[in-house]
Amino acid sequence: MTPDAAPVLTAVDGHAARITLNRPRALNSLTRPMLDGVADALDAWEHDPAVRTVVLDGAGERGLCAGADIRLFHDAARSGDHTAAEAFLRAEYRLDSRIAHYPKPYVALMDGIVMGGGVGLSAHGSVRVVTERSRVAMPEVSIGLVPDVGGTFLLSRAPGHLGTHLALTGLSAGPADAVLCGLADHFVPAAALPDLVADLAREPAHDAVARHARPVPEGVLAGERAWIDACYDADTVEEIVDRLFSCGEPAAKDAAETLLAKSPSAVKATLESLRRAARLDSLEAALDQEFRVTCAALDTHDLPEGIRAQIIDKDRDPHWDPATLAEVDAARVERYFAPRGERELGLA
């Protein structure tokens, strides 16, 4: 394999070390070798006095990372052999925690599409930069999963119920909304990223970013806080849907219809995950909970069916089972949170 074909490229320029996710044809979707490559680079640079800043970006023009290469989870769910999928999740969640506590500035350039596992590698960093092209999302409910990689920890701490809205609908946040929801810190125009990277090699990270940061363009969610907070404050998903349909806002009706197209089981498990995560005291505790929930999803009908419909056959016509929210009872939701004994992640 030539260096250009490596799935993770690393380089050091001045005082900055750079990690580039390098599967542009797959929108830099994550494989186990990529996780290991990022982890190895962080190990190598943590105690290197020449490296003062780490910079993460993605190859290609479309985005930083579209998340995990989820065919692995489809195969695991279909075969019943979860070994490789669970090993991937362990490596991924441990890396997310590592990034959150990395002792040097970790600058994530969240340009373009940033979804799922891409959020895990970026939104836990200490300096998170979005551009006008950024679309940040945790769309797991679309494939029968629940937001993970620390997504429930982040979204449960967004202002009001904005995080619940994003999690239950899977909708993406533009740059202003990503900053508002605590998924990013700074807005830098995409055209300025090459100059920012050059300056990061020569000066402290926060100084370089401050030079290139600009006021973030107006977003959407700030103007929708009133109906979002009122509707998503309900105790159950069914009541949330009722409030969305009845509040009179066209955007609320759209949100209800979007939510109802997702896996009913995943939507209910997501609401419960967010509310439990809000009471947890650390990212690691949330990752432990997400590991239980994601591993449990491997035993459901909806996960392989959602991946089939969205990724494999691409017919966008998943047949969920159960098919309605009313059929998803409390016992089914509780199964997502069952302790795993010796197979716990155990980060907290």
Side-chain angles (χ1 to χ4, degrees):
M1 179 178 287
T2 64
D4 287 344
V8 173
L9 304 178
T10 61
V12 177
D13 178 17
H15 295 299
R18 188 170 179 179
I19 300 171
T20 300
L21 306 178
N22 188 39
R23 295 183 70 213
R25 292 182 184 178
L27 229 170
N28 302 316
S29 58
L30 298 171
T31 62
R32 178 60 188 274
M34 294 173 74
L35 299 176
D36 293 342
V38 174
D40 289 346
L42 295 181
D43 285 343
W45 296 329
E46 180 171 356
H47 301 292
D48 184 344
V51 172
R52 299 177 185 173
T53 300
V54 173
V55 182
L56 174 76
D57 66 0
E61 299 297 321
R62 297 164 62 200
L64 172 67
C65 175
D69 190 341
I70 56 175
R71 290 174 185 266
L72 170 68
F73 300 101
H74 177 269
D75 294 345
R78 289 290 299 273
S79 71
D81 182 357
H82 302 169
T83 305
E86 289 193 15
F88 178 95
L89 293 170
R90 288 180 186 278
E92 184 179 31
Y93 295 2
R94 289 182 184 281
L95 179 57
D96 297 333
S97 173
R98 177 86 188 284
I99 289 167
H101 300 287
Y102 201 65
K104 298 180 179 182
Y106 179 99
V107 182
L109 303 182
M110 302 170 71
D111 186 31
I113 292 172
V114 187
M115 297 194 302
V119 174
L121 294 190
S122 57
H124 300 302
S126 54
V127 184
R128 307 164 300 173
V129 174
V130 285
T131 76
E132 71 277 6
R133 303 186 297 204
S134 295
R135 294 295 180 270
V136 184
M138 296 298 296
E140 285 76 8
V141 288
S142 299
I143 59 167
L145 267 176
V146 172
D148 65 339
V149 298
T152 62
F153 184 79
L154 294 168
L155 292 175
S156 68
R157 285 154 175 78
H161 292 288
L162 296 182
T164 305
H165 171 62
L166 292 178
L168 297 191
T169 61
L171 294 172
S172 64
D177 294 333
V179 172
L180 174 63
C181 290
L183 302 173
D185 305 302
H186 307 281
F187 172 80
V188 174
L193 291 181
D195 290 338
L196 169 60
V197 171
D199 287 346
L200 286 167
R202 297 190 296 266
E203 58 187 288
H206 290 281
D207 292 346
V209 172
R211 176 176 300 107
H212 294 282
R214 299 291 181 269
V216 65
E218 186 175 355
V220 174
L221 293 181
E224 297 182 340
R225 272 289 302 277
W227 68 258
I228 287 174
D229 286 354
C231 292
Y232 288 93
D233 191 50
D235 291 334
T236 67
V237 177
E238 288 91 339
E239 188 177 351
I240 288 171
V241 171
D242 288 344
R243 291 186 185 188
L244 289 170
F245 275 125
S246 64
C247 82
E249 292 286 345
K253 179 176 179 290
D254 290 344
E257 292 173 346
T258 298
L259 186 161
L260 287 174
K262 311 305 182 185
S263 160
S265 297
V267 168
K268 284 200 170 181
T270 293
L271 182 62
E272 182 66 18
S273 292
L274 289 169
R275 293 186 169 171
R276 293 189 186 203
R279 301 190 293 268
L280 298 175
D281 61 3
S282 68
L283 169 63
E284 287 67 35
L287 288 166
D288 284 347
Q289 174 176 280
E290 291 169 354
F291 184 75
R292 294 183 202 109
V293 172
T294 303
C295 289
L298 293 170
D299 286 320
T300 66
H301 164 277
D302 283 3
L303 175 57
E305 172 61 11
I307 297 173
R308 178 206 63 76
Q310 297 293 335
I311 305 298
I312 297 175
D313 296 341
K314 298 183 179 179
D315 59 23
R316 307 292 192 266
D317 184 28
H319 297 276
W320 306 121
D321 184 17
T324 67
L325 291 169
E327 294 174 272
V328 182
D329 60 17
R332 183 178 291 270
V333 173
E334 190 62 31
R335 284 201 289 270
Y336 283 89
F337 300 90
R340 297 180 57 77
E342 294 181 354
R343 296 168 64 191
E344 292 279 5
L345 180 63
L347 281 178

